[in-house]
mmCIF file of all heavy atoms in Angstrom:
data_model
loop_
_atom_site.group_PDB
_atom_site.id
_atom_site.type_symbol
_atom_site.label_atom_id
_atom_site.label_comp_id
_atom_site.label_asym_id
_atom_site.label_seq_id
_atom_site.Cartn_x
_atom_site.Cartn_y
_atom_site.Cartn_z
ATOM 1 N N MET A 1 -7.408 26.830 20.332
ATOM 2 C CA MET A 1 -8.113 26.059 19.325
ATOM 3 C C MET A 1 -9.413 25.533 19.921
ATOM 4 O O MET A 1 -9.435 25.068 21.045
ATOM 5 C CB MET A 1 -7.259 24.869 18.886
ATOM 6 C CG MET A 1 -6.642 25.041 17.547
ATOM 7 S SD MET A 1 -5.821 23.532 17.031
ATOM 8 C CE MET A 1 -4.216 24.191 16.727
ATOM 9 N N GLU A 2 -10.423 25.568 19.112
ATOM 10 C CA GLU A 2 -11.694 25.047 19.586
ATOM 11 C C GLU A 2 -11.732 23.535 19.434
ATOM 12 O O GLU A 2 -11.051 22.960 18.589
ATOM 13 C CB GLU A 2 -12.825 25.692 18.808
ATOM 14 C CG GLU A 2 -12.927 27.190 19.066
ATOM 15 C CD GLU A 2 -14.168 27.784 18.459
ATOM 16 O OE1 GLU A 2 -15.155 27.054 18.286
ATOM 17 O OE2 GLU A 2 -14.136 28.987 18.155
ATOM 18 N N TRP A 3 -12.528 22.899 20.260
ATOM 19 C CA TRP A 3 -12.561 21.443 20.281
ATOM 20 C C TRP A 3 -13.098 20.868 18.978
ATOM 21 O O TRP A 3 -12.701 19.779 18.574
ATOM 22 C CB TRP A 3 -13.338 20.943 21.492
ATOM 23 C CG TRP A 3 -14.819 21.215 21.444
ATOM 24 C CD1 TRP A 3 -15.454 22.326 21.887
ATOM 25 C CD2 TRP A 3 -15.810 20.347 20.916
ATOM 26 N NE1 TRP A 3 -16.796 22.222 21.664
ATOM 27 C CE2 TRP A 3 -17.048 21.003 21.073
ATOM 28 C CE3 TRP A 3 -15.794 19.098 20.326
ATOM 29 C CZ2 TRP A 3 -18.243 20.439 20.652
ATOM 30 C CZ3 TRP A 3 -16.994 18.547 19.925
ATOM 31 C CH2 TRP A 3 -18.207 19.203 20.088
ATOM 32 N N GLU A 4 -13.969 21.584 18.283
ATOM 33 C CA GLU A 4 -14.502 21.081 17.013
ATOM 34 C C GLU A 4 -13.392 20.948 15.969
ATOM 35 O O GLU A 4 -13.368 20.006 15.180
ATOM 36 C CB GLU A 4 -15.612 21.990 16.473
ATOM 37 C CG GLU A 4 -16.852 22.048 17.341
ATOM 38 C CD GLU A 4 -16.832 23.205 18.318
ATOM 39 O OE1 GLU A 4 -15.785 23.876 18.443
ATOM 40 O OE2 GLU A 4 -17.874 23.419 18.977
ATOM 41 N N PHE A 5 -12.507 21.922 15.982
ATOM 42 C CA PHE A 5 -11.393 21.899 15.032
ATOM 43 C C PHE A 5 -10.459 20.726 15.322
ATOM 44 O O PHE A 5 -9.994 20.051 14.401
ATOM 45 C CB PHE A 5 -10.627 23.236 15.107
ATOM 46 C CG PHE A 5 -9.524 23.339 14.099
ATOM 47 C CD1 PHE A 5 -9.801 23.493 12.746
ATOM 48 C CD2 PHE A 5 -8.199 23.278 14.495
ATOM 49 C CE1 PHE A 5 -8.785 23.589 11.814
ATOM 50 C CE2 PHE A 5 -7.178 23.373 13.571
ATOM 51 C CZ PHE A 5 -7.479 23.533 12.227
ATOM 52 N N ILE A 6 -10.202 20.454 16.580
ATOM 53 C CA ILE A 6 -9.340 19.334 16.965
ATOM 54 C C ILE A 6 -9.988 18.008 16.573
ATOM 55 O O ILE A 6 -9.331 17.112 16.043
ATOM 56 C CB ILE A 6 -9.022 19.393 18.471
ATOM 57 C CG1 ILE A 6 -8.174 20.638 18.762
ATOM 58 C CG2 ILE A 6 -8.312 18.133 18.929
ATOM 59 C CD1 ILE A 6 -7.956 20.924 20.221
ATOM 60 N N VAL A 7 -11.279 17.882 16.799
ATOM 61 C CA VAL A 7 -11.988 16.665 16.395
ATOM 62 C C VAL A 7 -11.940 16.494 14.890
ATOM 63 O O VAL A 7 -11.720 15.390 14.378
ATOM 64 C CB VAL A 7 -13.453 16.687 16.912
ATOM 65 C CG1 VAL A 7 -14.258 15.551 16.312
ATOM 66 C CG2 VAL A 7 -13.490 16.614 18.421
ATOM 67 N N ALA A 8 -12.107 17.572 14.156
ATOM 68 C CA ALA A 8 -12.034 17.506 12.692
ATOM 69 C C ALA A 8 -10.646 17.061 12.238
ATOM 70 O O ALA A 8 -10.518 16.248 11.313
ATOM 71 C CB ALA A 8 -12.382 18.864 12.089
ATOM 72 N N LEU A 9 -9.597 17.549 12.880
ATOM 73 C CA LEU A 9 -8.236 17.131 12.548
ATOM 74 C C LEU A 9 -8.019 15.663 12.856
ATOM 75 O O LEU A 9 -7.415 14.930 12.060
ATOM 76 C CB LEU A 9 -7.212 17.978 13.305
ATOM 77 C CG LEU A 9 -6.948 19.377 12.777
ATOM 78 C CD1 LEU A 9 -5.972 20.097 13.694
ATOM 79 C CD2 LEU A 9 -6.419 19.337 11.369
ATOM 80 N N VAL A 10 -8.493 15.225 14.007
ATOM 81 C CA VAL A 10 -8.324 13.820 14.414
ATOM 82 C C VAL A 10 -9.018 12.899 13.422
ATOM 83 O O VAL A 10 -8.535 11.802 13.128
ATOM 84 C CB VAL A 10 -8.844 13.611 15.856
ATOM 85 C CG1 VAL A 10 -8.980 12.142 16.191
ATOM 86 C CG2 VAL A 10 -7.937 14.316 16.837
ATOM 87 N N ILE A 11 -10.127 13.322 12.867
ATOM 88 C CA ILE A 11 -10.853 12.509 11.887
ATOM 89 C C ILE A 11 -10.224 12.619 10.498
ATOM 90 O O ILE A 11 -10.095 11.633 9.778
ATOM 91 C CB ILE A 11 -12.341 12.921 11.853
ATOM 92 C CG1 ILE A 11 -12.998 12.532 13.182
ATOM 93 C CG2 ILE A 11 -13.059 12.270 10.676
ATOM 94 C CD1 ILE A 11 -14.397 13.067 13.352
ATOM 95 N N ALA A 12 -9.801 13.812 10.113
ATOM 96 C CA ALA A 12 -9.313 14.047 8.750
ATOM 97 C C ALA A 12 -7.905 13.506 8.513
ATOM 98 O O ALA A 12 -7.607 13.017 7.417
ATOM 99 C CB ALA A 12 -9.348 15.534 8.436
ATOM 100 N N ILE A 13 -7.031 13.584 9.488
ATOM 101 C CA ILE A 13 -5.635 13.176 9.279
ATOM 102 C C ILE A 13 -5.519 11.710 8.890
ATOM 103 O O ILE A 13 -4.838 11.387 7.906
ATOM 104 C CB ILE A 13 -4.766 13.552 10.506
ATOM 105 C CG1 ILE A 13 -4.578 15.068 10.533
ATOM 106 C CG2 ILE A 13 -3.429 12.841 10.478
ATOM 107 C CD1 ILE A 13 -3.877 15.586 11.758
ATOM 108 N N PRO A 14 -6.153 10.760 9.584
ATOM 109 C CA PRO A 14 -6.048 9.366 9.139
ATOM 110 C C PRO A 14 -6.657 9.132 7.756
ATOM 111 O O PRO A 14 -6.150 8.332 6.972
ATOM 112 C CB PRO A 14 -6.815 8.586 10.210
ATOM 113 C CG PRO A 14 -6.826 9.452 11.398
ATOM 114 C CD PRO A 14 -6.817 10.854 10.882
ATOM 115 N N ILE A 15 -7.752 9.838 7.448
ATOM 116 C CA ILE A 15 -8.382 9.685 6.136
ATOM 117 C C ILE A 15 -7.436 10.157 5.035
ATOM 118 O O ILE A 15 -7.367 9.565 3.969
ATOM 119 C CB ILE A 15 -9.723 10.444 6.095
ATOM 120 C CG1 ILE A 15 -10.725 9.758 7.028
ATOM 121 C CG2 ILE A 15 -10.264 10.531 4.682
ATOM 122 C CD1 ILE A 15 -12.020 10.512 7.229
ATOM 123 N N ILE A 16 -6.682 11.197 5.287
ATOM 124 C CA ILE A 16 -5.737 11.718 4.298
ATOM 125 C C ILE A 16 -4.488 10.846 4.233
ATOM 126 O O ILE A 16 -3.965 10.575 3.152
ATOM 127 C CB ILE A 16 -5.363 13.177 4.640
ATOM 128 C CG1 ILE A 16 -6.592 14.080 4.456
ATOM 129 C CG2 ILE A 16 -4.205 13.666 3.785
ATOM 130 C CD1 ILE A 16 -6.426 15.458 5.024
ATOM 131 N N LEU A 17 -3.980 10.378 5.371
ATOM 132 C CA LEU A 17 -2.727 9.631 5.399
ATOM 133 C C LEU A 17 -2.867 8.177 4.981
ATOM 134 O O LEU A 17 -1.907 7.591 4.487
ATOM 135 C CB LEU A 17 -2.098 9.702 6.784
ATOM 136 C CG LEU A 17 -1.551 11.056 7.198
ATOM 137 C CD1 LEU A 17 -0.953 10.974 8.586
ATOM 138 C CD2 LEU A 17 -0.539 11.562 6.210
ATOM 139 N N PHE A 18 -4.031 7.559 5.151
ATOM 140 C CA PHE A 18 -4.181 6.145 4.814
ATOM 141 C C PHE A 18 -3.890 5.863 3.343
ATOM 142 O O PHE A 18 -3.118 4.946 3.039
ATOM 143 C CB PHE A 18 -5.567 5.626 5.198
ATOM 144 C CG PHE A 18 -5.762 4.195 4.824
ATOM 145 C CD1 PHE A 18 -5.141 3.184 5.537
ATOM 146 C CD2 PHE A 18 -6.541 3.852 3.730
ATOM 147 C CE1 PHE A 18 -5.295 1.863 5.176
ATOM 148 C CE2 PHE A 18 -6.702 2.539 3.362
ATOM 149 C CZ PHE A 18 -6.085 1.534 4.090
ATOM 150 N N PRO A 19 -4.471 6.596 2.392
ATOM 151 C CA PRO A 19 -4.144 6.305 0.982
ATOM 152 C C PRO A 19 -2.652 6.489 0.664
ATOM 153 O O PRO A 19 -2.074 5.699 -0.080
ATOM 154 C CB PRO A 19 -4.988 7.302 0.191
ATOM 155 C CG PRO A 19 -6.080 7.694 1.121
ATOM 156 C CD PRO A 19 -5.507 7.615 2.494
ATOM 157 N N ALA A 20 -2.043 7.497 1.262
ATOM 158 C CA ALA A 20 -0.615 7.716 1.017
ATOM 159 C C ALA A 20 0.204 6.560 1.575
ATOM 160 O O ALA A 20 1.136 6.065 0.918
ATOM 161 C CB ALA A 20 -0.171 9.040 1.647
ATOM 162 N N ALA A 21 -0.129 6.103 2.763
ATOM 163 C CA ALA A 21 0.588 4.973 3.366
ATOM 164 C C ALA A 21 0.347 3.696 2.571
ATOM 165 O O ALA A 21 1.257 2.881 2.397
ATOM 166 C CB ALA A 21 0.142 4.789 4.811
ATOM 167 N N PHE A 22 -0.851 3.522 2.051
ATOM 168 C CA PHE A 22 -1.166 2.336 1.264
ATOM 169 C C PHE A 22 -0.375 2.309 -0.044
ATOM 170 O O PHE A 22 0.190 1.284 -0.421
ATOM 171 C CB PHE A 22 -2.670 2.285 0.980
ATOM 172 C CG PHE A 22 -3.110 1.036 0.294
ATOM 173 C CD1 PHE A 22 -3.030 -0.185 0.936
ATOM 174 C CD2 PHE A 22 -3.601 1.072 -0.997
ATOM 175 C CE1 PHE A 22 -3.435 -1.349 0.312
ATOM 176 C CE2 PHE A 22 -4.009 -0.079 -1.628
ATOM 177 C CZ PHE A 22 -3.926 -1.292 -0.978
ATOM 178 N N VAL A 23 -0.296 3.424 -0.730
ATOM 179 C CA VAL A 23 0.492 3.506 -1.970
ATOM 180 C C VAL A 23 1.964 3.275 -1.661
ATOM 181 O O VAL A 23 2.656 2.576 -2.411
ATOM 182 C CB VAL A 23 0.274 4.875 -2.658
ATOM 183 C CG1 VAL A 23 1.256 5.086 -3.797
ATOM 184 C CG2 VAL A 23 -1.163 4.970 -3.168
ATOM 185 N N TRP A 24 2.472 3.819 -0.585
ATOM 186 C CA TRP A 24 3.856 3.605 -0.181
ATOM 187 C C TRP A 24 4.110 2.124 0.071
ATOM 188 O O TRP A 24 5.117 1.571 -0.360
ATOM 189 C CB TRP A 24 4.136 4.428 1.068
ATOM 190 C CG TRP A 24 5.520 4.265 1.600
ATOM 191 C CD1 TRP A 24 6.647 4.865 1.136
ATOM 192 C CD2 TRP A 24 5.923 3.433 2.689
ATOM 193 N NE1 TRP A 24 7.726 4.456 1.889
ATOM 194 C CE2 TRP A 24 7.312 3.580 2.846
ATOM 195 C CE3 TRP A 24 5.239 2.582 3.554
ATOM 196 C CZ2 TRP A 24 8.016 2.908 3.823
ATOM 197 C CZ3 TRP A 24 5.953 1.909 4.531
ATOM 198 C CH2 TRP A 24 7.325 2.077 4.650
ATOM 199 N N PHE A 25 3.173 1.473 0.745
ATOM 200 C CA PHE A 25 3.286 0.042 1.024
ATOM 201 C C PHE A 25 3.329 -0.763 -0.275
ATOM 202 O O PHE A 25 4.139 -1.690 -0.417
ATOM 203 C CB PHE A 25 2.102 -0.399 1.887
ATOM 204 C CG PHE A 25 2.003 -1.877 2.081
ATOM 205 C CD1 PHE A 25 2.871 -2.538 2.925
ATOM 206 C CD2 PHE A 25 1.031 -2.609 1.416
ATOM 207 C CE1 PHE A 25 2.784 -3.914 3.104
ATOM 208 C CE2 PHE A 25 0.927 -3.965 1.592
ATOM 209 C CZ PHE A 25 1.807 -4.628 2.434
ATOM 210 N N LEU A 26 2.487 -0.425 -1.235
ATOM 211 C CA LEU A 26 2.484 -1.133 -2.511
ATOM 212 C C LEU A 26 3.799 -0.928 -3.257
ATOM 213 O O LEU A 26 4.331 -1.866 -3.866
ATOM 214 C CB LEU A 26 1.315 -0.670 -3.380
ATOM 215 C CG LEU A 26 -0.076 -1.078 -2.893
ATOM 216 C CD1 LEU A 26 -1.126 -0.459 -3.795
ATOM 217 C CD2 LEU A 26 -0.228 -2.580 -2.841
ATOM 218 N N ASN A 27 4.330 0.272 -3.233
ATOM 219 C CA ASN A 27 5.601 0.545 -3.912
ATOM 220 C C ASN A 27 6.746 -0.239 -3.274
ATOM 221 O O ASN A 27 7.564 -0.833 -3.981
ATOM 222 C CB ASN A 27 5.919 2.038 -3.871
ATOM 223 C CG ASN A 27 5.100 2.810 -4.867
ATOM 224 O OD1 ASN A 27 4.634 2.273 -5.858
ATOM 225 N ND2 ASN A 27 4.916 4.082 -4.593
ATOM 226 N N ILE A 28 6.820 -0.263 -1.966
ATOM 227 C CA ILE A 28 7.881 -0.993 -1.271
ATOM 228 C C ILE A 28 7.752 -2.487 -1.568
ATOM 229 O O ILE A 28 8.752 -3.171 -1.799
ATOM 230 C CB ILE A 28 7.826 -0.715 0.252
ATOM 231 C CG1 ILE A 28 8.112 0.755 0.532
ATOM 232 C CG2 ILE A 28 8.795 -1.609 1.001
ATOM 233 C CD1 ILE A 28 9.464 1.250 0.077
ATOM 234 N N GLY A 29 6.528 -2.996 -1.591
ATOM 235 C CA GLY A 29 6.310 -4.411 -1.915
ATOM 236 C C GLY A 29 6.753 -4.746 -3.331
ATOM 237 O O GLY A 29 7.348 -5.796 -3.570
ATOM 238 N N GLY A 30 6.484 -3.863 -4.271
ATOM 239 C CA GLY A 30 6.909 -4.080 -5.654
ATOM 240 C C GLY A 30 8.422 -4.059 -5.800
ATOM 241 O O GLY A 30 9.001 -4.864 -6.538
ATOM 242 N N ILE A 31 9.060 -3.145 -5.118
ATOM 243 C CA ILE A 31 10.519 -3.074 -5.161
ATOM 244 C C ILE A 31 11.125 -4.337 -4.571
ATOM 245 O O ILE A 31 12.080 -4.905 -5.112
ATOM 246 C CB ILE A 31 11.014 -1.806 -4.419
ATOM 247 C CG1 ILE A 31 10.620 -0.558 -5.207
ATOM 248 C CG2 ILE A 31 12.516 -1.852 -4.199
ATOM 249 C CD1 ILE A 31 10.818 0.730 -4.448
ATOM 250 N N TYR A 32 10.554 -4.807 -3.463
ATOM 251 C CA TYR A 32 11.051 -6.028 -2.819
ATOM 252 C C TYR A 32 10.919 -7.224 -3.759
ATOM 253 O O TYR A 32 11.852 -8.022 -3.886
ATOM 254 C CB TYR A 32 10.277 -6.267 -1.523
ATOM 255 C CG TYR A 32 10.630 -7.560 -0.843
ATOM 256 C CD1 TYR A 32 11.843 -7.710 -0.195
ATOM 257 C CD2 TYR A 32 9.746 -8.644 -0.859
ATOM 258 C CE1 TYR A 32 12.181 -8.901 0.426
ATOM 259 C CE2 TYR A 32 10.073 -9.834 -0.249
ATOM 260 C CZ TYR A 32 11.281 -9.966 0.395
ATOM 261 O OH TYR A 32 11.610 -11.145 0.990
ATOM 262 N N GLU A 33 9.794 -7.358 -4.435
ATOM 263 C CA GLU A 33 9.587 -8.470 -5.368
ATOM 264 C C GLU A 33 10.567 -8.385 -6.544
ATOM 265 O O GLU A 33 11.101 -9.402 -6.990
ATOM 266 C CB GLU A 33 8.152 -8.481 -5.898
ATOM 267 C CG GLU A 33 7.154 -8.996 -4.899
ATOM 268 C CD GLU A 33 7.382 -10.450 -4.535
ATOM 269 O OE1 GLU A 33 7.668 -11.269 -5.424
ATOM 270 O OE2 GLU A 33 7.270 -10.768 -3.338
ATOM 271 N N ALA A 34 10.803 -7.192 -7.067
ATOM 272 C CA ALA A 34 11.734 -7.024 -8.183
ATOM 273 C C ALA A 34 13.151 -7.428 -7.773
ATOM 274 O O ALA A 34 13.866 -8.086 -8.536
ATOM 275 C CB ALA A 34 11.715 -5.574 -8.667
ATOM 276 N N ILE A 35 13.563 -7.044 -6.575
ATOM 277 C CA ILE A 35 14.899 -7.411 -6.091
ATOM 278 C C ILE A 35 14.996 -8.919 -5.918
ATOM 279 O O ILE A 35 15.995 -9.542 -6.283
ATOM 280 C CB ILE A 35 15.217 -6.675 -4.778
ATOM 281 C CG1 ILE A 35 15.403 -5.183 -5.048
ATOM 282 C CG2 ILE A 35 16.444 -7.246 -4.099
ATOM 283 C CD1 ILE A 35 15.492 -4.338 -3.803
ATOM 284 N N LYS A 36 13.942 -9.528 -5.375
ATOM 285 C CA LYS A 36 13.935 -10.973 -5.160
ATOM 286 C C LYS A 36 14.022 -11.723 -6.502
ATOM 287 O O LYS A 36 14.780 -12.687 -6.626
ATOM 288 C CB LYS A 36 12.658 -11.362 -4.409
ATOM 289 C CG LYS A 36 12.718 -12.706 -3.737
ATOM 290 C CD LYS A 36 11.637 -12.877 -2.692
ATOM 291 C CE LYS A 36 10.299 -13.083 -3.352
ATOM 292 N NZ LYS A 36 9.261 -13.499 -2.389
ATOM 293 N N GLU A 37 13.272 -11.268 -7.504
ATOM 294 C CA GLU A 37 13.326 -11.898 -8.825
ATOM 295 C C GLU A 37 14.696 -11.728 -9.463
ATOM 296 O O GLU A 37 15.221 -12.662 -10.083
ATOM 297 C CB GLU A 37 12.253 -11.306 -9.735
ATOM 298 C CG GLU A 37 10.849 -11.755 -9.400
ATOM 299 C CD GLU A 37 9.814 -11.107 -10.298
ATOM 300 O OE1 GLU A 37 10.190 -10.568 -11.362
ATOM 301 O OE2 GLU A 37 8.638 -11.126 -9.928
ATOM 302 N N ALA A 38 15.284 -10.549 -9.325
ATOM 303 C CA ALA A 38 16.597 -10.306 -9.910
ATOM 304 C C ALA A 38 17.652 -11.207 -9.273
ATOM 305 O O ALA A 38 18.517 -11.751 -9.976
ATOM 306 C CB ALA A 38 16.985 -8.836 -9.736
ATOM 307 N N ARG A 39 17.576 -11.384 -7.961
ATOM 308 C CA ARG A 39 18.525 -12.276 -7.295
ATOM 309 C C ARG A 39 18.353 -13.719 -7.756
ATOM 310 O O ARG A 39 19.334 -14.432 -7.971
ATOM 311 C CB ARG A 39 18.345 -12.210 -5.787
ATOM 312 C CG ARG A 39 18.907 -10.957 -5.174
ATOM 313 C CD ARG A 39 18.779 -10.993 -3.673
ATOM 314 N NE ARG A 39 19.327 -9.785 -3.075
ATOM 315 C CZ ARG A 39 19.180 -9.468 -1.818
ATOM 316 N NH1 ARG A 39 18.507 -10.251 -1.001
ATOM 317 N NH2 ARG A 39 19.713 -8.352 -1.349
ATOM 318 N N ALA A 40 17.105 -14.146 -7.925
ATOM 319 C CA ALA A 40 16.844 -15.515 -8.373
ATOM 320 C C ALA A 40 17.370 -15.723 -9.797
ATOM 321 O O ALA A 40 17.979 -16.762 -10.089
ATOM 322 C CB ALA A 40 15.352 -15.812 -8.307
ATOM 323 N N LYS A 41 17.147 -14.749 -10.676
ATOM 324 C CA LYS A 41 17.647 -14.854 -12.053
ATOM 325 C C LYS A 41 19.171 -14.889 -12.074
ATOM 326 O O LYS A 41 19.773 -15.656 -12.824
ATOM 327 C CB LYS A 41 17.150 -13.682 -12.890
ATOM 328 C CG LYS A 41 15.707 -13.798 -13.289
ATOM 329 C CD LYS A 41 15.279 -12.611 -14.126
ATOM 330 C CE LYS A 41 13.814 -12.664 -14.452
ATOM 331 N NZ LYS A 41 13.369 -11.496 -15.210
ATOM 332 N N ARG A 42 19.778 -14.025 -11.251
ATOM 333 C CA ARG A 42 21.243 -13.976 -11.206
ATOM 334 C C ARG A 42 21.807 -15.305 -10.693
ATOM 335 O O ARG A 42 22.790 -15.813 -11.216
ATOM 336 C CB ARG A 42 21.688 -12.825 -10.311
ATOM 337 C CG ARG A 42 23.178 -12.552 -10.409
ATOM 338 C CD ARG A 42 23.585 -11.320 -9.624
ATOM 339 N NE ARG A 42 22.905 -10.141 -10.131
ATOM 340 C CZ ARG A 42 22.361 -9.198 -9.351
ATOM 341 N NH1 ARG A 42 22.430 -9.303 -8.053
ATOM 342 N NH2 ARG A 42 21.775 -8.145 -9.881
ATOM 343 N N ALA A 43 21.171 -15.878 -9.692
ATOM 344 C CA ALA A 43 21.634 -17.151 -9.142
ATOM 345 C C ALA A 43 21.466 -18.264 -10.171
ATOM 346 O O ALA A 43 22.351 -19.103 -10.331
ATOM 347 C CB ALA A 43 20.873 -17.470 -7.872
ATOM 348 N N ALA A 44 20.339 -18.283 -10.877
ATOM 349 C CA ALA A 44 20.102 -19.311 -11.889
ATOM 350 C C ALA A 44 21.093 -19.159 -13.044
ATOM 351 O O ALA A 44 21.609 -20.152 -13.563
ATOM 352 C CB ALA A 44 18.672 -19.217 -12.405
ATOM 353 N N HIS A 45 21.359 -17.930 -13.439
ATOM 354 C CA HIS A 45 22.321 -17.692 -14.528
ATOM 355 C C HIS A 45 23.725 -18.121 -14.103
ATOM 356 O O HIS A 45 24.458 -18.718 -14.876
ATOM 357 C CB HIS A 45 22.317 -16.209 -14.916
ATOM 358 C CG HIS A 45 23.271 -15.884 -16.021
ATOM 359 N ND1 HIS A 45 23.063 -16.304 -17.305
ATOM 360 C CD2 HIS A 45 24.439 -15.200 -16.033
ATOM 361 C CE1 HIS A 45 24.076 -15.885 -18.061
ATOM 362 N NE2 HIS A 45 24.916 -15.209 -17.309
ATOM 363 N N GLY A 46 24.086 -17.843 -12.874
ATOM 364 C CA GLY A 46 25.404 -18.238 -12.367
ATOM 365 C C GLY A 46 25.569 -19.745 -12.340
ATOM 366 O O GLY A 46 26.616 -20.280 -12.676
ATOM 367 N N LYS A 47 24.531 -20.472 -11.969
ATOM 368 C CA LYS A 47 24.590 -21.932 -11.954
ATOM 369 C C LYS A 47 24.717 -22.478 -13.367
ATOM 370 O O LYS A 47 25.441 -23.433 -13.612
ATOM 371 C CB LYS A 47 23.354 -22.503 -11.275
ATOM 372 C CG LYS A 47 23.338 -22.301 -9.784
ATOM 373 C CD LYS A 47 22.090 -22.881 -9.173
ATOM 374 C CE LYS A 47 22.044 -22.591 -7.681
ATOM 375 N NZ LYS A 47 20.810 -23.055 -7.072
ATOM 376 N N ARG A 48 23.983 -21.851 -14.315
ATOM 377 C CA ARG A 48 24.039 -22.311 -15.697
ATOM 378 C C ARG A 48 25.430 -22.093 -16.285
ATOM 379 O O ARG A 48 25.987 -22.959 -16.947
ATOM 380 C CB ARG A 48 22.991 -21.584 -16.543
ATOM 381 C CG ARG A 48 22.863 -22.198 -17.936
ATOM 382 C CD ARG A 48 21.840 -21.490 -18.772
ATOM 383 N NE ARG A 48 22.359 -20.168 -19.093
ATOM 384 C CZ ARG A 48 21.615 -19.108 -19.314
ATOM 385 N NH1 ARG A 48 20.320 -19.184 -19.205
ATOM 386 N NH2 ARG A 48 22.151 -17.955 -19.617
ATOM 387 N N VAL A 49 26.028 -20.954 -16.009
ATOM 388 C CA VAL A 49 27.366 -20.642 -16.523
ATOM 389 C C VAL A 49 28.375 -21.629 -15.925
ATOM 390 O O VAL A 49 29.256 -22.114 -16.622
ATOM 391 C CB VAL A 49 27.745 -19.176 -16.204
ATOM 392 C CG1 VAL A 49 29.203 -18.915 -16.488
ATOM 393 C CG2 VAL A 49 26.867 -18.233 -16.991
ATOM 394 N N THR A 50 28.243 -21.934 -14.657
ATOM 395 C CA THR A 50 29.162 -22.865 -14.000
ATOM 396 C C THR A 50 29.036 -24.261 -14.624
ATOM 397 O O THR A 50 30.037 -24.927 -14.878
ATOM 398 C CB THR A 50 28.868 -22.939 -12.500
ATOM 399 O OG1 THR A 50 28.948 -21.610 -11.971
ATOM 400 C CG2 THR A 50 29.859 -23.808 -11.780
ATOM 401 N N LYS A 51 27.799 -24.696 -14.897
ATOM 402 C CA LYS A 51 27.595 -25.999 -15.513
ATOM 403 C C LYS A 51 28.217 -26.056 -16.899
ATOM 404 O O LYS A 51 28.860 -27.024 -17.262
ATOM 405 C CB LYS A 51 26.090 -26.310 -15.624
ATOM 406 C CG LYS A 51 25.475 -26.899 -14.414
ATOM 407 C CD LYS A 51 24.040 -27.298 -14.718
ATOM 408 C CE LYS A 51 23.376 -27.950 -13.548
ATOM 409 N NZ LYS A 51 21.984 -28.286 -13.832
ATOM 410 N N GLU A 52 28.032 -24.986 -17.682
ATOM 411 C CA GLU A 52 28.590 -24.951 -19.026
ATOM 412 C C GLU A 52 30.105 -24.962 -18.989
ATOM 413 O O GLU A 52 30.762 -25.603 -19.819
ATOM 414 C CB GLU A 52 28.069 -23.712 -19.778
ATOM 415 C CG GLU A 52 26.605 -23.786 -20.142
ATOM 416 C CD GLU A 52 26.085 -22.485 -20.736
ATOM 417 O OE1 GLU A 52 26.871 -21.520 -20.844
ATOM 418 O OE2 GLU A 52 24.893 -22.447 -21.057
ATOM 419 N N ALA A 53 30.693 -24.281 -18.027
ATOM 420 C CA ALA A 53 32.158 -24.246 -17.915
ATOM 421 C C ALA A 53 32.693 -25.629 -17.545
ATOM 422 O O ALA A 53 33.737 -26.045 -18.049
ATOM 423 C CB ALA A 53 32.565 -23.205 -16.873
ATOM 424 N N LYS A 54 32.010 -26.336 -16.686
ATOM 425 C CA LYS A 54 32.449 -27.661 -16.295
ATOM 426 C C LYS A 54 32.261 -28.658 -17.433
ATOM 427 O O LYS A 54 33.015 -29.624 -17.558
ATOM 428 C CB LYS A 54 31.671 -28.133 -15.059
ATOM 429 C CG LYS A 54 32.074 -27.431 -13.795
ATOM 430 C CD LYS A 54 31.311 -27.950 -12.605
ATOM 431 C CE LYS A 54 31.731 -27.217 -11.332
ATOM 432 N NZ LYS A 54 30.963 -27.683 -10.182
ATOM 433 N N ALA A 55 31.261 -28.469 -18.294
ATOM 434 C CA ALA A 55 30.973 -29.389 -19.393
ATOM 435 C C ALA A 55 32.045 -29.287 -20.478
ATOM 436 O O ALA A 55 32.290 -30.256 -21.197
ATOM 437 C CB ALA A 55 29.598 -29.105 -19.978
ATOM 438 N N LYS A 56 32.693 -28.165 -20.616
ATOM 439 C CA LYS A 56 33.671 -27.969 -21.693
ATOM 440 C C LYS A 56 34.960 -28.608 -21.403
ATOM 441 O O LYS A 56 35.556 -29.178 -20.782
ATOM 442 C CB LYS A 56 33.919 -26.490 -21.966
ATOM 443 C CG LYS A 56 32.739 -25.845 -22.629
ATOM 444 C CD LYS A 56 33.053 -24.408 -22.957
ATOM 445 C CE LYS A 56 31.861 -23.775 -23.647
ATOM 446 N NZ LYS A 56 32.079 -22.436 -24.011
#
């Protein structure tokens, strides 16, 4: 392999992979937030049900 081709690869690979890694990061962050919200809703609903059961 000629050195020009290797330099071109070294420059091109990060340029190609950065957007893919960034989109992956955004997707993982969104999934994490959705799970966190679902757990909070489930916990709040469980507390409300427990309060209603004790009130009766």
Side-chain angles (χ1 to χ4, degrees):
M1 255 187 235
E2 295 189 26
W3 69 271
E4 295 94 351
F5 184 71
I6 294 172
V7 171
L9 283 177
V10 167
I11 292 171
I13 288 174
I15 292 172
I16 293 168
L17 290 180
F18 178 74
F22 186 66
V23 170
W24 179 80
F25 172 74
L26 291 176
N27 283 336
I28 296 300
I31 291 169
Y32 175 73
E33 284 296 318
I35 291 170
K36 199 163 74 169
E37 287 178 17
R39 285 184 180 170
K41 284 180 184 178
R42 190 174 299 137
H45 180 70
K47 288 180 184 176
R48 189 180 69 209
V49 169
T50 304
K51 275 186 178 178
E52 290 173 359
K54 287 181 180 178
K56 289 183 179 181

